[in-house]
Amino acid sequence: MASREVMFIHGMYLDGLSWQPWVERFTSAGFSCSAPSWPYHKGDPRSLRSVVDPELGALTFGAVTKHLKGLIDALPERPILVGHSIGGLLVQRLVNDADASTGVSISSAPPQGVMSFSPHFLRANFAHINPLSGNKPVFMTPKRFHYAFANTVSRSVSDDAFEQFVVPESRNVPRSTLGRSARIDFAAPHAPLLFLTGDQDHLTPVAMVRRNAHKYAAAPRAVDYQEFAGRSHYICAEPGREEVADAAPARPPNRA
C-alpha cells in the first residue's frame, strides 16, 4: 500500500509556502502533507530579504539533509518525497538512505559526477557558486529569477512570484553538493524514484537531468523519467502545473 504521507522539499531561494497549491491538491486526494522550510528560510520572504539571518551563509547541503531526516523520523511512516531543484537532489539522497517510500525528483540539481556545460546552466548558476564571493549569502534578483527560473512566463508574472516567494540563500548549499554529503550510490537498491523535468529549463538543463536519471541504469530498482514540453525551472508553479503534480504520485489513497 502506498504511503499516505507526502513531504514536499523546496529548492534554493524558496520556502515551504511555495508548495501550497501542491499541498492542497495532494490533501484533497487523501494524502497527509507537509512542506517544511529549510533552516533560516521560514518567514515572510520580504522580511527575510530585508533582514538576513547571519547564520544563513554557513548552511550546507548536509545540514539541510540532517534537518529533513529529523522531520521524516517524526512521521508515522516513511513518506513519499517530492522535491524540486536541490530539493530534487535531496530526494535522491534521502531515497539513497532509505528515508522514503517513493521519491519524485523534479528538475533535480546534479549529484556528484553529473555535470552540464550548457551556456544556460553556467549563466544561471554562476552567481551562487562564484568562488570569489566567500560565504556571504547570495541574493536573487528579479532579472536573474526570470532568466534562471521562470523564462517561459512573462516578466510581470515572474516578478510577482519573486516578490511572493524568493528568499536569500547560502552559497554553501550548492558548493557542498560537490562533496560526500551529496554523493549518490547509483547501484544500491532503493525505493521507486521518478524524475520529472521541463525541456526549457535553464537552471537544470533537460539533458543533465536525463543523464542523472540514467545513472541508475545498473541498479536493482524502479526509476522512471518524464519530460514536459515548454516547461522551465518554474515547472511546479507555471501554467500546467496540475499535469506535473498528477504525474508525481503513483496511486493516491482514495483512488486505489
Side-chain angles (χ1 to χ4, degrees):
M1 181 178 178
S3 175
R4 290 179 177 270
E5 299 287 337
V6 180
M7 179 179 288
F8 296 97
I9 304 174
H10 67 81
M12 290 176 60
Y13 303 106
L14 298 176
D15 65 2
L17 290 176
S18 63
W19 283 111
Q20 190 58 37
W22 286 60
V23 168
E24 293 172 359
R25 193 171 187 84
F26 277 57
T27 299
S28 69
F31 290 104
S32 176
C33 298
S34 60
S37 293
W38 295 0
Y40 317 116
H41 288 63
K42 188 174 182 178
D44 178 67
R46 296 171 183 85
S47 298
L48 294 175
R49 292 196 299 266
S50 297
V51 181
V52 180
D53 192 306
E55 300 297 320
L56 173 63
L59 186 67
T60 64
F61 183 88
V64 178
T65 304
K66 182 178 179 180
H67 173 72
L68 294 172
K69 283 176 176 283
L71 298 176
I72 290 169
D73 286 344
L75 295 175
E77 59 184 344
R78 286 296 186 244
I80 298 169
L81 297 178
V82 181
H84 172 249
S85 195
I86 278 193
L89 179 55
L90 285 160
V91 168
Q92 288 184 254
R93 179 68 212 195
L94 292 163
V95 165
N96 192 99
D97 293 348
D99 288 313
S101 66
T102 304
V104 182
S105 182
I106 305 172
S107 302
S108 183
Q112 189 181 68
V114 178
M115 273 297 294
S116 172
F117 296 100
S118 159
H120 286 310
F121 174 79
L122 298 174
R123 176 181 169 186
N125 283 277
F126 181 76
H128 56 246
I129 61 174
N130 183 353
L132 302 179
S133 298
N135 294 325
K136 296 182 297 183
V138 59
F139 287 79
M140 179 67 77
T141 65
K143 180 180 180 180
R144 187 160 66 87
F145 183 79
H146 186 235
Y147 177 81
F149 273 73
N151 51 288
T152 55
V153 301
S154 70
R155 178 63 188 266
S156 63
V157 169
S158 174
D159 285 355
D160 286 346
F162 177 94
E163 287 299 320
Q164 188 174 1
F165 295 118
V166 171
V167 302
E169 193 52 81
S170 169
R171 301 174 195 274
N172 283 310
V173 171
R175 286 172 180 169
S176 58
T177 63
L178 300 176
R180 183 182 299 274
S181 64
R183 186 176 299 166
I184 305 298
D185 183 353
F186 293 101
H190 59 81
L193 182 58
L194 170 64
F195 286 85
L196 305 175
T197 194
D199 67 354
Q200 299 300 311
D201 193 319
H202 287 171
L203 200 65
T204 56
V206 61
M208 184 181 72
V209 176
R210 191 185 303 126
R211 286 196 299 274
N212 188 0
H214 291 169
K215 291 279 282 187
Y216 289 89
R221 79 322 174 217
V223 171
D224 289 317
Y225 172 84
Q226 183 175 349
E227 293 176 13
F228 291 85
R231 311 299 171 86
S232 66
H233 202 66
Y234 198 50
I235 187 171
C236 295
E238 66 187 313
R241 66 171 179 254
E242 297 84 0
E243 181 185 8
V244 183
D246 288 346
R251 287 182 179 272
N254 66 4
R255 297 181 189 173

